Amino acid sequence: MQFSKFGEKFNQYSGITQLMDDLNDGLRTPGAIMLGGGNPAAIPTMLDYFHQASDEMLANGELIAALANYDGPQGKDAFVKALARLFRETYGWDISEKNISLTNGSQSGFFYLFNLLAGKQADGSHKKVLLPLAPEYIGYGDAGIDEDIFISYQPEIELLDNGLFKYHVDFEQLTVDDSIAAICASRPTNPTGNVLTDEEIHKLDKLARQHNIPLIIDNAYGLPFPNIIFADVQPFWNDNTILCMSLSKLGLPGVRCGIVIANEAITTAMTNMNGIISLAPSSVGPAYANHMIEKGDLLKLSTEVIKPFYQQKALRAVELLQQAITDERFRIHKPEGAIFLWLWFDELPITTMELYARLKARGVLIVPGEYFFIGQEEGWDHAHQCLRMNYVQDDEMMQKGITIIAEEVAKAYAG
Ligand SMILES: Cc1ncc(COP(=O)(O)O)c(C=O)c1O
């Protein structure tokens, strides 16, 4: 069969597809230890809450109304309005329903945004999205309709006490010129758990404004929901910021709801793209989230249930890893948010691609670090020495998985 150029590009077996396949295979393979995918944890309190909310919404007709009707292309009116009010009241942001559009998951929101801004321009030039710091979220990697739409920069590495380290944006290196269409960063970052500091965000905002390009902040794990963020930082938005959020990490990845908070021009563009590509975004997630806002539960559950759950899990995973792997070449990125730990095995004689294959053969799924160095032109040893591990599994699974990782890493260093 002959595919178009678009068809060829999107028919690739990309990193993100491999990840989703592994997740799917792992979920069906008895005994597999899933430290790879990005599925949020099944938090019992949240599952009970969704159960109860479903009963209430079934009884009051909201659930059937969401199933049986199309929303408009911008997304469910009631939710968009409630969300605008929530942000105004919580943070004093000057926004209304004209600043919010919904997509079928924030992943498709990024596809829209990147292709709206980057790639071949009307004047024939080619623009890229600047990722100030690689490693960055694997899901951006293949999202361009045109090839080569990202440029990224290696971070500064700060070595911290207790076997930890932290990445910082190296502002000396960043070059923003006419070839840059937007700046984008996930905060908290998937895969590393890094949280860009308030100072870094303000500097990026200034840089973006100076060059008249938007700053895209991927807030899939951030404030005020799901609030999987342990660093003491402020959320950020202004009319030059495109803040992307999601219901997935609240525990609702199946409803596929992404939220884009931006100026009116971007909101109109997203709405128009929704109309062409999906008619309308799904109504079900927004119906649940609207219910949660009306009851005053959205921010409360994020702060009182979701955040402490993940924070405690992150600390426990660091403890288990540091007990199991005592080699001083091993470091962990300081866990400041998101649902992953980023492990660095300095001087590892094999790539983490190879380590991934060895671990998979023993039933442990992690994600090799190489995938996350999107937009990098130069080779960098560090990119072959890191891996991403999620910490949402129960303690027994975590211990088993970590024991196997420790054995394979020791073998690799010895060999
Ligand atoms: C940083 C980041 N952004 C965006 C997404 C996409 O999430 P969704 O499409 O489920 O909203 C993810 C999913 O894991 C993520 O980790």
Side-chain angles (χ1 to χ4, degrees), residues 348-350 355 358 362 404-415:
L348 193 71
I350 58 167
L355 183 61
R358 294 183 189 180
R362 295 191 60 188
I404 294 173
I405 294 173
E407 286 169 10
E408 289 301 325
V409 166
K411 261 191 236 166
Y413 273 134

Side-chain angles (χ1 to χ4, degrees), residues 16 19-24 27 34-42 137-138 190-191 220-221 228 246-254 256 310 338-340 365-367 372 388-393:
I16 191 77
L19 192 69
M20 294 312 284
D21 262 1
D22 277 355
L23 185 70
N24 197 33
L27 287 173
M34 302 290 300
L35 309 180
N39 212 69
Y137 171 47
I138 191 171
N190 172 359
Y221 300 88
I228 310 174
S246 170
L247 299 187
S248 295
K249 313 302 169 176
L250 274 179
L252 296 174
R256 311 305 303 125
Y310 284 105
I339 61 177
F340 312 101
L365 291 169
I366 52 93
V367 185
F372 300 94
R388 189 191 82 176
M389 187 192 103
N390 80 30
Y391 53 75
V392 301
Q393 298 298 329

Side-chain angles (χ1 to χ4, degrees), residues 16 19-20 37-40 103-110 136-140 185-191 218-221 244-249 252-259 338-340 388:
I16 191 77
L19 192 69
M20 294 312 284
N39 212 69
T103 54
N104 289 316
S106 66
Q107 183 70 21
S108 54
F110 285 105
E136 248 307 351
Y137 171 47
I138 191 171
Y140 303 152
S186 58
R187 184 194 199 224
T189 306
N190 172 359
D218 181 349
N219 196 31
Y221 300 88
C244 299
M245 301 194 59
S246 170
L247 299 187
S248 295
K249 313 302 169 176
L252 296 174
V255 300
R256 311 305 303 125
C257 178
I259 301 161
I339 61 177
F340 312 101
R388 189 191 82 176

